[in-house]
Amino acid sequence: MNDDKATEPLPENFPYRDIFYLKRPKSRRATHLSAESRAAQFMPFDALTGFDESIAETERLTSSHSALDGYAVAELNERFGYLKIRNFPKVKITMTIFVRDLKKEGGSYVSVEGIVRNIDEITRKVRLDDGRIFSLDDIEALDGDIFLEEGL
């Protein structure tokens, strides 16, 4: 549609021919809205606030915490015992830890690097040099160069 109305001939029987060429009236009370302000009136309305977030949370997958078999538990005990006997050498190790999800059942496995500072067998906690504390029950694997050197 062409914006220049004067160049478009109107048919004789056009019903609004008498007002078609009039200028748009301006209100004395209301101020003229900018194009952005007028467009904001027609923004989509989210009637179900939080629905999209709820769907995304439902779609997010979590893993279940699997119990370790006897061999894996023995290997972990051997490696933690080795660190304790060596008086927690200042070497970097990598732990695979199960982190529970705060919003739904299950969680995920993450890899954590650090230097073991202490193992408290009473509270079943491992403390790293940087202050992070993890439960022994959540640790799935313990790896590092120190274990490779000793054949563990």
Side-chain angles (χ1 to χ4, degrees), residues 129-140:
D129 257 3
D130 58 8
R132 292 180 290 174
I133 299 173
F134 301 99
S135 172
L136 285 173
D137 299 326
D138 293 336
I139 298 173
E140 296 288 316

Side-chain angles (χ1 to χ4, degrees), residues 67-87:
L68 296 177
D69 62 5
Y71 176 75
V73 170
E75 182 180 355
L76 275 176
N77 287 338
E78 185 178 7
R79 289 184 175 194
F80 277 124
Y82 179 75
L83 289 175
K84 201 168 186 179
I85 288 171
R86 300 260 330 254
N87 201 18

Side-chain angles (χ1 to χ4, degrees), residues 11-12 15 20 33-34 46 57 62 84 88 99 104 111 116 137 139-140 143 152:
E12 290 295 324
F20 188 76
L33 291 176
S34 66
D46 189 6
E57 178 62 28
T62 58
K84 201 168 186 179
F88 305 109
V99 178
K104 59 195 304 188
S111 205
V116 175
D137 299 326
I139 298 173
E140 296 288 316
D143 297 307
L152 295 175

Side-chain angles (χ1 to χ4, degrees), residues 100-118:
R100 287 170 178 72
D101 196 300
L102 299 175
K103 294 185 177 181
K104 59 195 304 188
E105 191 173 328
S108 61
Y109 288 95
V110 295
S111 205
V112 176
E113 288 187 349
I115 299 171
V116 175
R117 181 179 186 189
N118 187 12

